[in-house]
């Protein structure tokens, strides 16, 4: 259990920082749109990446740095565009948390955005595949138990973030609060995009 708990705490600590993916999950949680699907996609993506790292895929990433380069520049472009849209929205649109009808198109768009935030983020590869994969070798032959703990931490975090956001919903019925959130998210995305290029 100590190996499992080590994986759980380390996995949880690596995703606690408010990054682009977490900001998107928080935003969807506040809007109460496709929360379960978004949290599930994030958690399963993390589970796959952690599994790759624990089973040795981290060594492949180290051998082929082009994978990291592609994720870095692709992620920077994507985050830059999203930052622009969020910042523009914070100045030009009036938001309020009224019920928004879910449509099939909006679900597909939300899922596509979620996948992009996850798989075009080089920090995700560094944290899950390389870092967790490397640390898991210290726990052999129980490295798979370490990975299972990290995966559990990911599921707990994303579902807590997505569904916990609804407790802030009354605050975000005020359009001004929503504008502030859009601005903060835009600045987070922009800073991450710049850091990826630099």
């Amino acid at each position: 259990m100590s190996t499992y708990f080590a994986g759980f705490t380390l996995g949880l600590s690596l995703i606690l920082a408010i990054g682009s993916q977490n900001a998107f999950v928080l935003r969807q949680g506040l809007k109460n749109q496709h929360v379960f699907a978004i949290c599930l996609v994030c958690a399963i993506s993390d589970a796959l990446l952690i599994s790759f790292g624990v089973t040795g895929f981290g060594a492949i990433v180290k051998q082929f740095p082009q994978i990291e380069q592609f994720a870095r520049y692709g992620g920077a472009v994507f985050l830059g565009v999203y930052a622009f849209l969020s910042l523009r929205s914070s100045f030009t649109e009036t938001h309020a948390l009224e019920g928004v009808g879910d449509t099939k198109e909006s679900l597909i768009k939300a899922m596509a955005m979620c996948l992009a935030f996850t798989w075009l983020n080089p920090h995700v590869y560094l944290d899950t595949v390389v870092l967790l994969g490397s640390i898991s070798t210290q726990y052999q032959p129980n490295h798979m138990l370490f990975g299972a703990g990290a995966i559990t931490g990911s599921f707990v975090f994303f579902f807590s973030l997505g569904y916990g956001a609804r407790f802030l919903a009354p605050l975000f019925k005020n359009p001004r609060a929503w504008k502030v959130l859009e601005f903060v998210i835009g600045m987070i995305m922009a800073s991450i995009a710049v850091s990826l290029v630099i």
Side-chain angles (χ1 to χ4, degrees):
M1 283 307 291
S2 62
T3 300
Y4 177 86
F5 187 68
F8 179 86
T9 52
L10 183 59
L12 197 59
S13 66
L14 287 175
I15 56 175
L16 275 176
I18 292 292
S20 56
Q21 185 188 43
N22 296 351
F24 180 72
V25 173
L26 177 64
R27 189 171 186 266
Q28 292 299 118
L30 286 168
K31 292 167 67 178
N32 197 25
Q33 278 195 325
H34 317 301
V35 179
F36 181 81
I38 294 299
C39 293
L40 190 63
V41 166
C42 289
I44 289 176
S45 295
D46 259 20
L48 289 172
L49 289 166
I50 291 168
S51 298
F52 290 155
V54 170
T55 55
F57 188 72
I60 297 174
V61 174
K62 283 182 179 177
Q63 270 192 310
F64 298 97
Q66 298 91 339
I67 296 172
E68 192 268 339
Q69 291 289 323
F70 171 78
R72 175 189 301 238
Y73 293 112
V77 170
F78 174 76
L79 290 173
V81 171
Y82 194 88
F84 170 76
L85 294 175
S86 287
L87 289 170
R88 186 182 68 176
S89 175
S90 73
F91 289 108
T92 61
E93 295 183 24
T94 301
H95 299 277
L97 278 182
E98 307 299 339
V100 181
D102 288 348
T103 64
K104 187 175 182 181
E105 184 178 347
S106 63
L107 172 62
I108 292 170
K109 181 180 177 183
M111 297 284 273
M113 294 285 283
C114 183
L115 288 168
F117 278 123
T118 302
W119 294 90
L120 288 178
N121 181 1
H123 294 299
V124 170
Y125 295 94
L126 293 173
D127 288 348
T128 57
V129 179
V130 178
L131 186 58
L132 284 174
S134 300
I135 293 173
S136 70
T137 59
Q138 300 173 20
Y139 292 91
Q140 287 180 343
N142 297 318
H143 58 289
M144 297 302 287
L145 195 59
F146 176 87
I151 289 169
T152 304
S154 182
F155 271 84
V156 168
F157 174 78
F158 284 117
F159 279 92
S160 297
L161 179 63
Y163 284 101
R166 67 180 54 187
F167 293 108
L168 297 174
L171 173 66
F172 284 90
K173 287 191 181 293
N174 181 343
R176 189 172 297 171
W178 192 259
K179 281 178 176 287
V180 170
L181 177 70
E182 287 279 23
F183 180 79
V184 170
I185 288 176
M187 292 303 293
I188 289 171
M189 304 297 180
S191 65
I192 295 172
V194 170
S195 73
L196 290 179
V197 174
I198 293 175

